Amino acid sequence: MTMPRTTLAQQIREHLTRASIGRSLSVGRPSYGIDDFRGDVFGGITAGVVSLPIALSYGILSGLGPAAGLYGAFATALISAIVGGARGVIAGPNVIVAMMMAVVVTDYASSLAEAATIGIMAGLIQLVFALLRLGRYVTYVPQSLISGFFTAFGILVIASQAFPALGVASGGVGLIDNLSALPAAIRELNDEALVLTLFCLLLGALWRGRLMALIPGAFAVLLCGTAIGAFWLDGAPVIDDIPGGFPGVDLSALSADFVVRAIEPAFMLALLSSITMLVVSLNMDVITGGQHQSNRIVFGLGLGNIIAALFGGLYCAVSSATFVNIFSGGRTVVAGATVAAFLLAVMVFMGPLVEQIPLAVLAGILLTTGWNLIDWRFIRRLHRIPASFSIVMVTTVILTVFTTLAAALVVGLVVAWLLNARRLEEIEMRSLASVPLLDATVLGRDEVGDADRFAARSGLVVLPDRVSMASARQIGRVLRADLSQHQAIIFEMSRVQFLDDSAAVMIGELIHIARSHGAKRVVIAGIPKDVERRFQSMAMLEDIPAEDLATDLDEAKQKVRQTLLRLP
């Protein structure tokens, strides 16, 4: 009897139900009761209130418009909640990804269809990340590099929002373009927009403590700023562009040439989105006591971004509303679905009201965000932290602000790797030991006889627990001189826990050098199984006789003893 075959749709439904929704409702708690539901709904509504000004602001910041921010926030919040992967994390517009999207719109895409294509490609890349199970490795980025990115994007956000704060058209995306256009903008400033921006900045700075617990600061600024703009400062420019429904994006006119050119920005979007999402998920694990599933998070985010891009939505990552949701009691799928429902209600029923929001109000919110995005804590400690961290951070800031994000990422990673390799070399070299072995410690008292009591015809090399390409070259240089002085050499490797291909080749070369300088015997002692397999895979043991392999140092000394007894 054969089992009935299930359709792909059934498999997907079963997978999501069993591995996502069920798990999100059960992780860390035995059941899901009315108190849990109340916390999710309250947390979701509160997070939705915060998500509204964020979505509008970041949509404008990206160059796609406020509606794109709402579409992206709705799609990613809903899909990421369904797929799951982390407790209480809300997907949505992110200032870093929004700034990257602004670069995409300016430098790579000449139409909404091309921008949407890059978003779809970035979502597909995130799906590939998840399917290849690369989610856990995405966060292996130095904190100094992340700090540099955050600081650089904070500077760029502040520079870009100076123009809507003055009530004039944007001067561009880059810092140089904005600074060049600033004098002309000052001459054309809108007095009411400037006053409204200053009011919003002041209100945001004063909205603390109990007021923050009553109403989230960004939403309070949005409400008060909009009210003042509507009743007193009605000369400030407003959004005035929220289309009804979900517009589709026509991708039929795209060419293969554009798809090839879009790979670089799509990869950068996918990488930045995944990094920011997973970094916040790690922090949320500490707060909620849960354990996020990196690959599931990246998969849900990629799927949500694909759907958002199909409707012209903003590419998203993790929303800052996540923290509001967590501290308001939101933990499960229900909280994310509540955020999506709130945003959907705003799009369907409140479009005319949203259109009356002054751009200066959103500029005030973004200026505060940009200021907070700068890693002031890291900057204040630049003179105290190791120079290598400071170099990576400052290099990343300069390259991100003045060149391209791709260049900043590549150069920043290379600089961080080189400086880290230098530190690893110092650590590994400290544990290296190369000492002569007196004949008296290898031979018996009767065997030494009347010979020189201080003769040392054999040498012992004790390798550290980690030998990598960082220290391979230096270890080889240090040991060359020692190896030429002995007639028998013992390589003691029992402590080695990690050895990469460069180190394996280096050890093979040292054995060859010892033999070429007259060593009668080279014994390898205590080689761990993993290291032995690495040697065998690289054919490094083929030239070493089986009798020159010892299980421990005592056996190695016995083998050297036999050699020394045969020497004149």
Side-chain angles (χ1 to χ4, degrees):
M1 180 178 178
T2 60
M3 296 295 291
R5 299 179 61 183
T6 59
T7 65
L8 178 61
Q10 291 173 328
Q11 293 176 1
I12 293 175
R13 283 197 299 270
E14 292 174 0
H15 173 73
L16 292 177
T17 302
R18 182 172 59 253
S20 172
I21 300 178
R23 186 173 298 176
S24 67
L25 294 179
S26 61
V27 172
R29 56 181 74 199
S31 61
Y32 188 79
I34 187 64
D35 291 337
D36 304 310
F37 178 76
R38 186 184 298 112
D40 282 334
V41 172
F42 181 74
I45 293 175
T46 308
V49 167
V50 174
S51 296
L52 176 59
I54 290 175
L56 296 172
S57 302
Y58 295 172
I60 294 175
L61 181 64
S62 70
L64 295 177
L70 290 175
Y71 301 151
F74 166 75
T76 53
L78 181 62
I79 301 301
S80 294
I82 294 174
V83 175
R87 298 185 63 183
V89 176
I90 304 297
N94 176 279
V95 65
I96 293 179
V97 179
M99 281 299 299
M100 180 60 196
M101 201 67 199
V103 175
V104 168
V105 172
T106 303
D107 297 340
Y108 294 93
S110 59
S111 65
L112 177 60
E114 291 183 349
T117 300
I118 295 175
I120 293 172
M121 291 174 61
L124 291 173
I125 291 173
Q126 287 185 300
L127 297 186
V128 173
F129 284 167
L131 294 175
L132 294 179
R133 308 190 68 80
L134 300 178
R136 58 176 298 186
Y137 301 106
V138 172
T139 55
Y140 288 2
V141 177
Q143 179 60 39
S144 52
L145 187 67
I146 295 176
S147 176
F149 274 131
F150 276 48
T151 300
F153 280 117
I155 295 172
L156 293 174
V157 168
I158 292 173
S160 66
Q161 291 309 298
F163 296 90
L166 298 174
V168 297
S170 175
V173 176
L175 180 63
I176 300 299
D177 293 339
N178 285 320
L179 291 178
S180 301
L182 191 58
I186 294 176
R187 289 193 296 268
E188 301 174 2
L189 70 85
N190 183 306
D191 295 339
E192 294 187 355
L194 179 59
V195 171
L196 191 55
T197 300
L198 294 176
F199 169 79
C200 292
L201 289 173
L202 180 62
L203 181 62
L206 297 177
W207 201 270
R208 295 288 183 267
R210 295 181 179 180
L211 293 176
M212 186 70 76
L214 182 64
I215 300 177
F219 191 68
V221 171
L222 182 70
L223 289 179
C224 297
T226 302
I228 291 177
F231 293 105
W232 290 287
L233 303 175
D234 56 358
V238 297
I239 291 178
D240 198 24
D241 183 21
I242 300 293
F246 289 91
V249 178
D250 184 11
L251 306 177
S252 59
L254 296 173
S255 63
D257 177 65
F258 173 77
V259 172
V260 172
R261 289 188 290 109
I263 291 176
E264 177 189 332
F267 182 82
M268 294 302 302
L269 274 173
L271 188 61
L272 283 175
S273 175
S274 301
I275 289 174
T276 54
M277 188 70 162
L278 294 176
V279 167
V280 171
S281 297
L282 285 172
N283 295 332
M284 292 303 101
D285 287 348
V286 176
I287 297 173
T288 64
Q291 185 173 1
H292 76 277
Q293 302 169 67
S294 300
N295 296 303
R296 186 176 296 280
I297 290 173
V298 175
F299 184 89
L301 187 58
L303 186 60
N305 277 320
I306 292 173
I307 295 174
L310 289 173
F311 293 103
L314 175 63
Y315 196 84
C316 295
V318 61
S319 172
S320 54
T322 292
F323 297 93
V324 176
N325 177 55
I326 290 293
F327 291 117
S328 298
R331 292 292 186 274
T332 73
V333 172
V334 177
T338 304
V339 173
F342 177 86
L343 294 174
L344 180 62
V346 169
M347 289 185 287
V348 173
F349 301 110
M350 300 174 62
L353 295 177
V354 172
E355 292 176 352
Q356 302 306 312
I357 297 176
L359 295 176
V361 173
L362 300 181
I365 295 173
L366 282 173
L367 286 171
T368 303
T369 301
W371 181 265
N372 293 332
L373 202 60
I374 298 175
D375 195 342
W376 296 108
R377 181 174 178 270
F378 198 103
I379 292 174
R380 286 193 295 267
R381 300 184 65 84
L382 276 178
H383 64 289
R384 295 184 179 180
I385 62 178
S388 57
F389 298 160
S390 302
I391 292 172
V392 173
M393 193 267 192
V394 173
T395 301
T396 304
V397 171
I398 293 174
L399 291 176
T400 304
V401 170
F402 294 104
T403 62
T404 65
L405 184 60
L409 179 63
V410 172
V411 175
L413 286 175
V414 170
V415 171
W417 178 84
L418 291 175
L419 295 173
N420 186 57
R422 180 65 177 172
R423 290 195 299 271
L424 285 177
E425 177 188 322
E426 295 173 355
I427 293 172
E428 293 171 11
M429 289 298 297
R430 291 194 200 113
S431 303
L432 174 69
S434 177
V435 295
L437 289 176
L438 294 176
D439 288 358
T441 64
V442 178
L443 303 174
R445 180 175 300 178
D446 296 337
E447 294 167 333
V448 174
D450 296 331
D452 184 1
R453 294 173 52 194
F454 298 102
R457 291 177 291 173
S458 57
L460 172 64
V461 175
V462 181
L463 294 173
D465 56 355
R466 175 187 174 92
V467 190
S468 68
M469 61 178 141
S471 62
R473 180 176 174 273
Q474 184 72 354
I475 289 176
R477 188 186 66 81
V478 170
L479 293 181
R480 276 184 176 86
D482 293 351
L483 297 179
S484 63
Q485 301 175 8
H486 304 293
Q487 295 176 312
I489 306 293
I490 298 175
F491 283 93
E492 210 285 318
M493 303 182 64
S494 61
R495 294 192 302 167
V496 179
Q497 299 179 8
F498 173 81
L499 183 141
D500 64 13
D501 53 352
S502 298
V505 171
M506 177 269 297
I507 292 174
E509 291 177 351
L510 290 176
I511 293 173
H512 175 73
I513 290 172
R515 288 173 174 169
S516 64
H517 282 76
K520 306 302 180 183
R521 193 166 197 181
V522 178
V523 180
I524 299 179
I527 180 171
K529 291 296 182 182
D530 291 341
V531 177
E532 183 178 1
R533 283 194 291 269
R534 176 63 57 88
F535 277 135
Q536 290 173 343
S537 66
M538 301 182 65
M540 303 300 298
L541 297 179
E542 292 182 354
D543 296 333
I544 300 177
E547 58 268 21
D548 287 346
L549 298 176
T551 57
D552 53 32
L553 183 58
D554 291 336
E555 183 182 346
K557 288 183 177 180
Q558 289 300 319
K559 293 179 181 293
V560 169
R561 171 179 170 274
Q562 299 169 9
T563 301
L564 295 181
L565 290 175
R566 293 195 295 266
L567 295 175

